[in-house]
C-alpha cells in the first residue's frame, strides 16, 4: 500500500505544482472539493483511533451505521482514560470495547499498554497517511509526518465505515524553527512560545506545518510534544516533514519499512509564516487557567508547589522520563511536594524499569502511576484545596484536575523535576550544567498487549454491561425553534466546562441520561434542572465556544436536555462539528452587540478574557458561575428550514422585542445533516 502513496506524491511533483506538505498529503487523499482554504473538502482516512472515554459511543455509532467490519487500513481501540475502576462501569466498558474491536476488525490496545497518542506514535503511525482519532490530541502523530486530525466519535465511526472525512480546507501556517535550543530548554518551550503568540484561538481553521534548520535537532518524540499541543491552538493538525529523524525513530521501533521521505516542495506557498529563534527561547510556563497564558519560568519562580505531575500524551516519552530520572538521581523531592509520574506507554515503563531509571525515580520519592492519562483528566491525584500543581500535560483549565480551586501550571519535564526538588517553581537553568539524553537506537518492542482482531468477527458477541445505554435518538429539525436562553456563557468556554471529565463523571460516558446530570456543572450546576424544566432551549456562548476536547458528550448531553441551538461569537472546530452531527444548530452573531443584548438567567458564566485580571500578564479571572437567578430571554427562530436553505436566519427575542440576524456557515451537506436531525439519520437515508 505504501508505494501507492509514494507514487502519488511523486506524480504531484512531476506536474510542477509546488505544494506544501499539508497540501501534498491532502491532495493524494482528496475525495471531494477544491483545496481552497475555507471550502469544504472530503478526504480518505487511512487509519483511525479511539480511546475508551470516547470509544464506547464511537462503536455504538459504528454498530448503528450497520457495516459489519471496518473499511480502513488500520483501526485501533485504546483503553487509557478510564482505567481507575472504582465501580463496575469502567471494567464493563473495557469488556464492551474489547468485544466490539474483535467483532468489527479493530486492534485492541489493552488497559496498561499506554496512552493512545504515545502508543500510536510508537507502533502504528506512518508518514504521509491520514489518521482520524476520537480525541483532540490525535495530531500528536503529525510528529511522524502524518496528517492526523481529532474528531468526534461519530465522524470516526463514519471513517471506520469507509466514508471520507469532511472538513474545511485549512489554511497552512509555516512555523520556521531556526537554530538550536539552549541548554535546559526543550520542545515544550517551542509550543508554549507558539501558544503565547497565537493564543488558544490562533490555530482555528489552520494546519501548523513546521520546517527550518531547527527541526533537524528534534527527535520524533520531541516533535510529538509540539504537534500534540497544536490542539491547544485549536489547529486542525500540526505536521513535521518525514526526514532522517523520522527514519531513525521508525527504525528504532523496528518499523523502518514504514518510512518514506516527505517534505514541502522548495518554494511552496503558505498562508502565514511564523519564525521562532530557538536559541532565544527560555524556560516557559503556562499559568492557570489557560494554556496560552504563557510567561517565562523565571518570572513565576519562587511560588510554592504542592504537586508535580509528569506524564500525559504531551511529555511522557522514554527520553522525557530519563531526563527526569537524571535530574532526581541521588536526591529527594521536597517534603511538601507530591511527585506523581505516569509513563506514556508500557514500552516506556518497561525500558525505564530495565535500565534502572525507574529506581532513581522511586528512590527520589516519586509515586509511579500506571501508563494512562490519569491526573491529566482528573482521574486520580487531585491536588489539595487551593493547591498549586505543576504539570507536563497540555491543559490547565479550571477544575480539570479534580480540585476546583487548584491552580495548574504547564511546564517542561526539566522545570517539573527542578521544581519537585526545590518545592517551588524553579527555572531548571539553576540546576547547573545541562546534560543531553539521546533517543535510544532501539526501543523495546513488545506488542503482546495489542490484540489483533480475528479474521472473521461475525460470530463474536458484543458484551454489554448495565452501563452501556442505547444511543439517544434525534428527530428531524423542527420548523420553528422556540425556547428560553438556558445559559449565557463568556469567551473560551471549554468542553471541560460543558461536560466535565474526572474520575466521578468519566465512568458515565456510555450512559447519556446519567452524564447529562453533570452538564455545565463547573459553571452552572443548576443547568440540567433548568433545561429539563423549560423543556429545552438555547445556549448563548462567547468566542471560541467549545474549545478543548473532542468529546461528543458536550453535544450529546445538551441534546438530551433539549438544547436545539447554540448561538456564539465563534466556535472551536471539533465541537461545532459535534453539534452538527447531533442536529444542534451552531449559529454565530452577525453583530457582536447582539450578544450583549441577550439576557441569560443570571450572571454570564465562564472564563473571562480580561487581561490582568488573573495571574501574570494576560491573566484571566477565575471561572464565574452563572447564578441562574431569574429567567433567560425567550427566543424564537421561525421558518428555520427556509432560513437555513436561503442563508437568512433571524432570531426574535420575545422578551426584549429585538430581532437580530445570525449566520450558520453550514455547507449544503451540513444543512442536510441538520435538517435530518444529525449525521446518523442523514447516513441512514
Ligand atoms: C482530553 O484531553 O480532554 C480528553 C479527555 O483526552 C478528550 C477526550 C475525551 O473527553 O474523552 C480530548 O482531548 O478529546
Ligand atoms: Fe489523555 Fe490527557 Fe492526552 Fe487527553 S490530553 S489524551 S486526557 S493524556
Amino acid at each position: 500500500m505504501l508505494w501507492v502513496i509514494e507514487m502519488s506524491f511523486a506524480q504531484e511533483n512531476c506536474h510542477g505544482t509546488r505544494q506544501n506538505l499539508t497540501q501534498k498529503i491532502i491532495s493524494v487523499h482528496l475525495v471531494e472539493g477544491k483545496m481552497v482554504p475555507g471550502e469544504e473538502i472530503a478526504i480518505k482516512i487511512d487509519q483511525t483511533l479511539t480511546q475508551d472515554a470516547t470509544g464506547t459511543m464511537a462503536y455504538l455509532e459504528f454498530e448503528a451505521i450497520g457495516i459489519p467490519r471496518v473499511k480502513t487500513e488500520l483501526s485501533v481501540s485504546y483503553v487509557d482514560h478510564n482505567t481507575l475502576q472504582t465501580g463496575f462501569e469502567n471494567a464493563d466498558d473495557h469488556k464492551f470495547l474489547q468485544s466490539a474491536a474483535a467483532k468489527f476488525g479493530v486492534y485492541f490496545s489493552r488497559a496498561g499498554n499506554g496512552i493512545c497518542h504515545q502508543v500510536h506514535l510508537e507502533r502504528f503511525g506512518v508518514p504521509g497517511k491520514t489518521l482520524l482519532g476520537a480525541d483532540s490530541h490525535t495530531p500528536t502523530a503529525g510528529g511522524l509526518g502524518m496528517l492526523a486530525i481529532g474528531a468526534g466519535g461519530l465522524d470516526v465511526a463514519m471513517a471506520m465505515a469507509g466514508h471520507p472525512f469532511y472538513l474545511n480546507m485549512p489554511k497552512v501556517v509555516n512555523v520556521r524553527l531556526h537554530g538550536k535550543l539552549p541548554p535546559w530548554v526543550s520542545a515544550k518551550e517551542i509550543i508554549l512560545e507558539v501558544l503565547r503568540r497565537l493564543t488558544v484561538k490562533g490555530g482555528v481553521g489552520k494546519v501548523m506545518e513546521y520546517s527550518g534548520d531547527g527541526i533537524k535537532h528534534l527527535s520524533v518524540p520531541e516533535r510529538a510534544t509540539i504537534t500534540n499541543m497544536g490542539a491547544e491552538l485549536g489547529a486542525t493538525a500540526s505536521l513535521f516533514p518525514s526526514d532522517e529523524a523520522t527514519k531513525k525513530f521508525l527504525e528504532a521501533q523496528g518499523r523502518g519499512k514504514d518510512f518514506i521521505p516527505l517534505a514541502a516542495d522548495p518554494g511552496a506557498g503558505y498562508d502565514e509564516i511564523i519564525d521562532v529563534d530557538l536559541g532565544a527561547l527560555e524556560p516557559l510556563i503556562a499559568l492557570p487557567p489557560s494554556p496560552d497564558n504563557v510567561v517565562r519560568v523565571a518570572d513565576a519562580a519562587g511560588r510554592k508547589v504542592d504537586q508535580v505531575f509528569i506524564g500525559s500524551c504531551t511529555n511522557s516519552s522514554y527520553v522525557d522520563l530519563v531526563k527526569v530520572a537524571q535530574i532526581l538521581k541521588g536526591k529527594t523531592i521536597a517534603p511538601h511536594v507530591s511527585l506523581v509520574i505516569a509513563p506514556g506507554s508500557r514500552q516506556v515503563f518497561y525500558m525505564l524499569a530495565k535500565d534502572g531509571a525507574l529506581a532513581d525515580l522511586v528512590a527520589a520519592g516519586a509515586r509511579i502511576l500506571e501508563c494512562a492519562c490519569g491526573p491529566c483528566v482528573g482521574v486520580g491525584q487531585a491536588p489539595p484545596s487551593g493547591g498549586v500543581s505543576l504539570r507536563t500535560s497540555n491543559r490547565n483549565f479550571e477544575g480539570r484536575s479534580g480540585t476546583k480551586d487548584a491552580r495548574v501550571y504547564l511546564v517542561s519535564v526539566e522545570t517539573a523535576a527542578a521544581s519537585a526538588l526545590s518545592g517551588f517553581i524553579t527555572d531548571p537553568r539553576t540546576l547547573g550544567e545541562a546534560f543531553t539524553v539521546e533517543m535510544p537506537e532501539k526501543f523495546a518492542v513488545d506488542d503482546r498487549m495489542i490484540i489483533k482482531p480475528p479474521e472473521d468477527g461475525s460470530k463474536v458477541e458484543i458484551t454489554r454491561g448495565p452501563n452501556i445505554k442505547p444511543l439517544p435518538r434525534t428527530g428531524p429539525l423542527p420548523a420553528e425553534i422556540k425556547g428560553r436562553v438556558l445559559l449565557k456563557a463568556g469567551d473560551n468556554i471549554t468542553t471541560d466546562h460543558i461536560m466535565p471529565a474526572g474520575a466521578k463523571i468519566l465512568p458515565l460516558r456510555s450512559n447519556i441520561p446519567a452524564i447529562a446530570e453533570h452538564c455545565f456543572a463547573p459553571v452552572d450546576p443548576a443547568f440540567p434542572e433548568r433545561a429539563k424544566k423549560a423543556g429545552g432551549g438555547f445556549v448563548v456562548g462567547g468566542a471560541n465556544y467549545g474549545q478543548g476536547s473532542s468529546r461528543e458528550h458536550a453535544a450529546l448531553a445538551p441534546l438530551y436536555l433539549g438544547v436545539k441551538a447554540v448561538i456564539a461569537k465563534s466556535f472551536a472546530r471539533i465541537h461545532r462539528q459535534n453539534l452538527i452531527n447531533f442536529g444542534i444548530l451552531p449559529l454565530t452573531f452577525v453583530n457582536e452587540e447582539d450578544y450583549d443584548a441577550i439576557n441569560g438567567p443570571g450572571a454570564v458564566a465562564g472564563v473571562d478574557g480580561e487581561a490582568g485580571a488573573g495571574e501574570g500578564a494576560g491573566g484571566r479571572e477565575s471561572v464565574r458561575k452563572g447564578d441562574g437567578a431569574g429567567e433567560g430571554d425567550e427566543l424564537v427562530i421561525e421558518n428555520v428550514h427556509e432560513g437555513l436553505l436561503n442563508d437568512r436566519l433571524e432570531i426574535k427575542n420575545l422578551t426584549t422585542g429585538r430581532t437580530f440576524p445570525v449566520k450558520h456557515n453550514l455547507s449544503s451537506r451540513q444543512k442536510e445533516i441538520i435538517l435530518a436531525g444529525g449525521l446518523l439519520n442523514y447516513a441512514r437515508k
Side-chain angles (χ1 to χ4, degrees):
M1 193 58 213
L2 214 54
W3 64 271
V4 177
I5 296 249
E6 229 174 328
M7 262 186 53
S8 320
F9 282 120
Q11 275 166 5
E12 279 300 322
N13 293 342
C14 298
H15 289 140
T17 43
R18 282 191 288 187
Q19 292 183 312
N20 56 49
L21 183 51
T22 309
Q23 290 167 335
K24 277 191 184 184
I25 302 182
I26 291 180
S27 65
V28 295
H29 289 87
L30 195 67
V31 178
E32 263 178 55
K34 290 202 193 74
M35 296 200 321
V36 176
E39 285 204 10
E40 190 174 66
I41 56 167
I43 55 171
K44 177 185 176 291
I45 294 300
D46 302 321
Q47 300 187 350
T48 64
L49 72 78
T50 56
Q51 41 88 344
D52 48 343
T54 55
T56 48
M57 278 294 143
Y59 294 104
L60 286 172
E61 287 155 353
F62 182 80
E63 192 179 31
I65 296 169
I67 307 270
R69 217 150 154 96
V70 295
K71 295 195 170 165
T72 44
E73 289 172 16
L74 172 92
S75 287
V76 190
S77 170
Y78 293 92
V79 176
D80 54 2
H81 283 61
N82 271 329
T83 55
L84 190 67
Q85 292 155 222
T86 55
F88 63 92
E89 293 88 351
N90 293 345
D92 278 10
D93 284 1
H94 302 171
K95 292 251 175 258
F96 166 81
L97 290 166
Q98 184 161 357
S99 58
K103 184 160 190 74
F104 300 137
V106 174
Y107 282 77
F108 182 70
S109 172
R110 301 183 62 187
N113 196 49
I115 304 173
C116 53
H117 310 302
Q118 175 70 24
V119 179
H120 209 85
L121 193 78
E122 290 169 358
R123 306 305 310 141
F124 296 113
V126 178
K129 299 262 180 187
T130 53
L131 166 70
L132 194 71
D135 193 282
S136 66
H137 290 103
T138 302
T140 310
L144 265 177
M146 189 171 200
L147 187 71
I149 303 176
L154 184 49
D155 280 323
V156 176
M158 291 291 282
M160 289 193 285
H163 295 275
F165 175 62
Y166 289 83
L167 73 162
N168 287 343
M169 176 67 198
K171 287 187 174 167
V172 186
V173 182
N174 187 197
V175 188
R176 299 191 300 203
L177 306 181
H178 306 283
K180 212 171 166 201
L181 289 167
W184 296 111
V185 178
S186 73
K188 186 64 162 265
E189 269 76 30
I190 301 177
I191 187 61
L192 287 177
E193 171 63 11
V194 178
L195 269 156
R196 188 184 72 77
R197 293 198 208 172
L198 299 190
T199 82
V200 290
K201 303 195 270 286
V204 177
K206 300 172 185 171
V207 169
M208 314 301 292
E209 193 174 307
Y210 290 83
S211 71
D213 62 290
I215 65 170
K216 66 173 178 286
H217 306 295
L218 298 172
S219 66
V220 167
E222 289 174 299
R223 294 173 180 191
T225 294
I226 297 170
T227 51
N228 174 280
M229 275 191 88
E232 279 47 70
L233 293 163
T236 304
S238 295
L239 194 55
F240 273 82
S242 174
D243 57 10
E244 274 310 302
T246 322
K247 187 164 182 247
K248 202 169 159 206
F249 177 79
L250 286 170
E251 280 171 355
Q253 289 287 354
R255 301 202 289 124
K257 65 173 188 354
D258 287 340
F259 174 74
I260 52 163
L262 278 178
D265 291 329
Y270 289 91
D271 297 291
E272 277 169 53
I273 293 179
I274 294 176
D275 288 294
V276 182
D277 175 4
L278 300 188
L281 289 179
E282 291 187 51
L284 296 174
I285 182 166
L287 310 179
S290 182
D292 60 0
N293 203 4
V294 175
V295 299
R296 296 178 328 140
V297 172
D299 295 332
R303 289 180 211 183
K304 195 167 173 199
V305 172
D306 300 287
Q307 181 190 59
V308 174
F309 164 54
I310 300 176
S312 91
C313 55
T314 319
N315 277 112
S316 59
S317 68
Y318 174 74
V319 169
D320 275 336
L321 299 190
V322 170
K323 280 187 199 168
V324 175
Q326 296 211 3
I327 295 171
L328 298 187
K329 194 178 169 78
K331 302 191 176 120
T332 312
I333 57 168
H336 63 271
V337 170
S338 167
L339 169 65
V340 284
I341 300 180
S345 69
R346 185 166 153 270
Q347 179 183 81
V348 172
F349 208 167
Y350 174 82
M351 289 176 69
L352 292 174
K354 195 99 206 296
D355 68 15
L358 184 61
D360 295 329
L361 298 174
V362 173
R367 302 164 69 181
I368 309 294
L369 306 178
E370 70 173 318
C371 316
C373 303
C376 174
V377 67
V379 175
Q381 305 297 330
S385 294
V388 166
S389 178
L390 239 61
R391 299 184 166 209
T392 65
S393 49
N394 45 41
R395 289 184 174 148
N396 55 350
F397 306 141
E398 197 156 293
R400 182 175 158 104
S401 65
T403 303
K404 276 200 181 101
D405 58 359
R407 281 163 298 143
V408 175
Y409 295 71
L410 307 176
V411 293
S412 67
V413 291
E414 290 85 347
T415 302
S419 306
L421 287 176
S422 69
F424 298 89
I425 294 179
T426 300
D427 187 328
R429 291 174 299 186
T430 58
L431 290 174
E433 208 181 317
F435 52 85
T436 46
V437 180
E438 293 296 336
M439 198 189 75
E441 294 287 312
K442 282 266 161 279
F443 288 99
V445 173
D446 171 6
D447 289 334
R448 283 175 299 158
M449 293 299 124
I450 300 174
I451 300 177
K452 196 173 173 217
E455 284 304 320
D456 176 10
S458 62
K459 304 272 165 352
V460 177
E461 282 292 322
I462 297 188
T463 316
R464 279 171 232 263
N467 196 40
I468 306 274
K469 294 281 184 273
L471 281 178
R473 295 265 164 178
T474 51
L477 187 75
E480 177 180 289
I481 302 181
K482 191 172 175 186
R484 296 220 171 253
V485 176
L486 300 168
L487 179 116
K488 182 172 173 182
D491 290 346
N492 291 318
I493 278 283
T494 71
T495 53
D496 278 299
H497 294 116
I498 306 171
M499 196 59 262
K504 296 194 184 95
I505 303 177
L506 270 178
L508 306 174
R509 281 291 180 92
S510 12
N511 184 344
I512 300 301
I515 206 168
E517 292 301 320
H518 303 273
C519 188
F520 283 113
V523 287
D524 191 345
F527 179 83
E529 215 29 63
R530 185 180 325 124
K532 281 191 280 184
K533 220 160 122 201
F538 294 83
V539 167
V540 172
N544 201 25
Y545 180 83
Q547 69 157 325
S549 83
S550 69
R551 65 190 72 149
E552 51 194 350
H553 303 75
L556 278 165
L559 172 80
Y560 181 79
L561 297 170
V563 173
K564 309 272 185 326
V566 179
I567 319 160
K569 290 184 187 168
S570 65
F571 288 91
R573 175 187 64 88
I574 307 180
H575 184 60
R576 177 172 178 273
Q577 190 55 51
N578 284 340
L579 291 174
I580 297 169
N581 286 353
F582 292 101
I584 300 178
L585 260 179
L587 302 172
T588 49
F589 291 97
V590 176
N591 308 305
E592 291 214 351
E593 59 266 24
D594 294 327
Y595 167 87
D596 300 325
I598 294 190
N599 305 297
V604 176
V607 188
D608 190 78
E610 281 167 45
E615 288 191 61
R620 286 169 166 78
E621 257 182 22
S622 62
V623 167
R624 278 176 289 124
K625 282 201 177 28
D627 52 14
E631 257 182 333
D633 290 351
E634 189 174 23
L635 310 181
V636 63
I637 318 178
E638 292 164 348
N639 304 321
V640 192
H641 295 201
E642 222 175 272
L644 199 63
L645 296 171
N646 302 335
D647 298 334
R648 289 170 70 98
L649 277 175
E650 260 185 4
I651 299 190
K652 271 190 201 157
N653 188 329
L654 300 175
T655 310
T656 62
R658 193 184 158 108
T659 298
F660 60 92
V662 283
K663 284 184 288 192
H664 57 67
N665 293 329
L666 297 168
S667 68
S668 329
R669 178 180 162 274
Q670 287 171 324
K671 284 180 197 170
E672 284 185 39
I673 294 173
I674 290 272
L675 287 169
L679 183 53
L680 265 181
N681 296 352
Y682 170 81
R684 281 203 196 99
K685 276 209 283 184

